[in-house]
Amino acid sequence: MAPYQHIDRKSPFSTKNGKTLPIFAVTPAHVETGTIDPIALDWARKAGFTAGAGALLLVPTADGQLGGALFGLGTNPSATPFLAGKLARQLPAGDWHIETAPLTANRLALGYGLGSYSYDRYRTEGQAGPKLLIPQDADATDIKRQLAGVFLARDLINTPTNDMGPGELERVFRSIAEHYKADVSVIVGEDLLKANFPLVHAVGRASAEAPRLLEMRWGKDGHRRVTLVGKGVCFDTGGLDIKPAASMLLMKKDMGGAANVLGLALMIMDAKLKVDLRVIVPVVENSIAGNAFRPGDVYRSRKGLTVQIDNTDAEGRLILADALAYADEEETDLLIDMATLTGAARVALGPDLPPVFTDDEELAAELLDASIETDDPLWRMPLYMGYDKGLKGQIADLTNAPAGGMAGAITAALFLKRFVSRARSWAHFDIFGWAPSERPHSPVGGEAQAIRALYRYLRSSVR
């Protein structure tokens, strides 16, 4: 069974073994010492090709036909392990294979695949691109699985809210579950109050599309219990504490936590990992209407803690609070939540390096090891309890927006921690979910963050 695809797209990989053009991936040293194909070397020297990182030189045959390509890796190939992604956008259409390269086959093929991504749903014309033959010593099945998870996350984030509101996100959720024969339950609208999800309801009730809580279960009882929770704010106006126009431009990505959780769930299920998987996604649109929740309101959460609303633009932690409390009602071995939660995390670490918060030292070490192994960057930040006192509300147990404006990513994580008590291990990922500039392995747009590292960690820990 092929991995789930939200948008049908042609594979970036070739199946024409023996009928493909060669790519010589080389460093400057290869050109200087002449340790490459003689015809390609002669052409490189005549063209002044020095194998700088990402440089491409097409090589002709003796009769003037296209004979192959030289691709520069720069002096330190390990510094840009997914540089091969550039090939997917630079090579002419056709079938290609890597002839020589000082990088692993998996890195080359995965990098190429990641760089092949494009989001063309709303473009009237497309064009054929190159295809790369996956090297025989690469794990083709797992590479395609990882690409499917990453592309799903990117596709969901890139889709504008008029086509990815709460109802459509639910349809995608159900479609993934159907593909992998998982069980789904959904609670919608006023039923959220009956089922005791008051914060999810409060945040989403002003939208034309009803808020909802999505739940998926897959796997076998007795296997390691893994629960994934993703923030699903399909659009965030900021509510009555409305955002300025410039700050709303990317708010279709505020469901990036849900998108990444679903990408990770796809990889887990497609690999048939031995886990008892549960996926919980609270889905809302934070809109403005006469019934919108207000600054100063106080709501009792599912856990029983009361929350004072000091800023309606701090809505993500509210819906996650109910979802995490619900997840924590069942004993679980590992509880992961992912959310595009705070600007403070971006100020601290920038858009490409998501922080992870956990008080489990062993889990933290293993996640960071997996991050390095997969070149999927993470950085641990502290759950510093000295800031916990700032969460106290003036007239309620908690405030959703501590005063002072400092340590915002930490106080948001500490807020969520209040709603987790039974899970054996818990980790919170404050992701950006967006690539603000083009990189070899991704265009500008929605991005998967931390899920390849999490997949590696889970795959190695539940054999």
Side-chain angles (χ1 to χ4, degrees):
M1 179 176 67
Y4 173 84
Q5 284 196 97
H6 173 58
I7 294 176
D8 289 332
R9 48 171 55 90
K10 294 181 179 179
S11 172
F13 299 117
S14 172
T15 57
K16 295 182 179 179
N17 196 2
K19 300 178 181 179
T20 56
L21 292 169
I23 302 166
F24 301 94
V26 295
T27 66
H30 289 104
V31 178
E32 291 169 6
T33 58
T35 53
I36 57 174
D37 177 81
I39 295 176
L41 176 64
D42 180 62
W43 185 251
R45 289 176 171 168
K46 288 177 179 176
F49 178 78
T50 59
L56 180 72
L57 178 67
L58 298 179
V59 179
T61 61
D63 59 356
Q65 301 298 311
L66 179 60
L70 283 165
F71 182 63
L73 297 175
T75 57
N76 185 15
S78 62
T80 51
F82 296 135
L83 189 64
K86 279 181 169 284
L87 288 169
R89 301 192 290 275
Q90 292 178 335
L91 286 171
D95 294 276
W96 299 81
H97 72 273
I98 300 288
E99 185 74 23
T100 60
L103 288 171
T104 68
N106 280 321
R107 282 287 193 278
L108 285 167
L110 181 61
Y112 180 89
L114 290 169
S116 74
Y117 176 86
S118 63
Y119 185 77
D120 299 327
R121 176 174 175 177
Y122 299 100
R123 298 193 184 278
T124 54
E125 294 183 5
Q127 59 183 29
K131 291 181 178 292
L132 182 73
L133 185 69
I134 297 178
Q136 289 186 349
D137 54 342
D139 188 342
T141 299
D142 198 57
I143 287 169
K144 292 175 182 177
R145 176 182 300 129
Q146 290 186 59
L147 290 178
V150 169
F151 286 9
L152 173 63
R154 290 176 177 179
D155 285 344
L156 296 182
I157 296 170
N158 282 328
T159 304
T161 308
N162 59 308
D163 284 326
M164 191 51 65
E168 182 57 30
L169 187 54
E170 178 189 334
R171 284 188 281 275
V172 174
F173 192 91
R174 290 183 180 276
S175 182
I176 296 167
E178 181 180 2
H179 187 86
Y180 292 107
K181 296 179 173 56
D183 296 324
V184 168
S185 61
V186 177
I187 305 169
V188 182
E190 297 302 307
D191 287 342
L192 288 166
L193 293 176
K194 298 175 184 176
N196 193 24
F197 293 97
L199 295 180
V200 179
H201 180 270
V203 173
R205 70 191 184 200
S207 173
E209 285 199 66
R212 58 204 70 200
L213 186 103
L214 314 179
E215 183 174 4
M216 182 190 305
R217 292 177 181 265
W218 176 91
K220 293 183 179 179
D221 188 30
H223 288 167
R224 186 183 185 191
R225 289 185 173 182
V226 176
T227 301
L228 310 177
V229 177
K231 173 187 168 186
V233 179
C234 292
F235 194 85
D236 181 19
T237 65
L240 293 176
D241 289 313
I242 190 169
K243 294 177 183 288
S247 297
M248 272 195 242
L249 289 175
L250 286 183
M251 282 302 100
K252 69 177 183 179
K253 79 170 186 67
D254 213 19
M255 40 65 72
N260 274 269
V261 157
L262 290 176
L264 175 57
L266 181 156
M267 288 188 261
I268 291 169
M269 294 187 290
D270 196 80
K272 298 180 175 61
L273 296 188
K274 293 180 179 180
V275 298
D276 184 355
L277 179 66
R278 190 180 179 203
V279 183
I280 300 170
V281 178
V283 183
V284 301
E285 184 177 354
N286 188 17
S287 298
I288 298 172
N291 65 337
F293 74 124
R294 297 167 290 253
D297 284 354
V298 174
Y299 296 94
R300 188 173 298 278
S301 68
R302 180 181 184 87
K303 193 175 180 70
L305 295 169
T306 56
V307 184
Q308 178 177 314
I309 309 303
D310 286 324
N311 192 317
T312 61
D313 197 19
E315 85 298 330
R317 67 198 68 186
L318 297 175
I319 66 171
L320 286 172
D322 271 358
L324 285 170
Y326 176 54
D328 199 50
E329 289 166 9
E330 291 186 12
E331 288 189 7
T332 186
D333 297 308
L334 177 63
L335 174 56
I336 296 288
D337 79 77
M338 306 188 79
T340 51
L341 203 60
T342 69
R346 255 48 68 198
V347 171
L349 299 178
D352 301 338
L353 184 58
V356 55
F357 296 84
T358 181
D359 51 13
D360 185 328
E361 298 296 328
E362 183 178 353
L363 175 64
E366 291 178 347
L367 287 175
L368 293 176
D369 284 345
S371 166
I372 293 169
E373 291 167 3
T374 56
D375 293 297
D376 194 7
L378 292 173
W379 195 262
R380 187 184 183 189
M381 288 183 68
L383 285 164
Y384 176 59
M385 294 306 296
Y387 295 149
D388 188 71
K389 58 183 180 293
L391 296 176
K392 186 177 181 180
Q394 184 181 8
I395 62 171
D397 295 325
L398 300 170
T399 172
N400 77 322
M406 294 187 181
I410 297 174
T411 56
L414 289 172
F415 180 93
L416 298 180
K417 189 176 187 294
R418 293 290 192 98
F419 297 88
V420 178
S421 57
R422 299 181 66 193
R424 291 186 177 89
S425 294
W426 165 67
H428 159 61
F429 293 79
D430 190 339
I431 65 171
F432 190 50
W434 190 264
S437 58
E438 182 177 292
R439 297 171 295 177
H441 59 287
S442 69
V444 173
E447 185 58 300
Q449 293 184 306
I451 62 174
R452 289 188 299 104
L454 279 163
Y455 170 63
R456 169 65 68 88
Y457 161 72
L458 287 169
R459 193 178 182 190
S460 62
S461 62
V462 292
R463 297 184 186 278

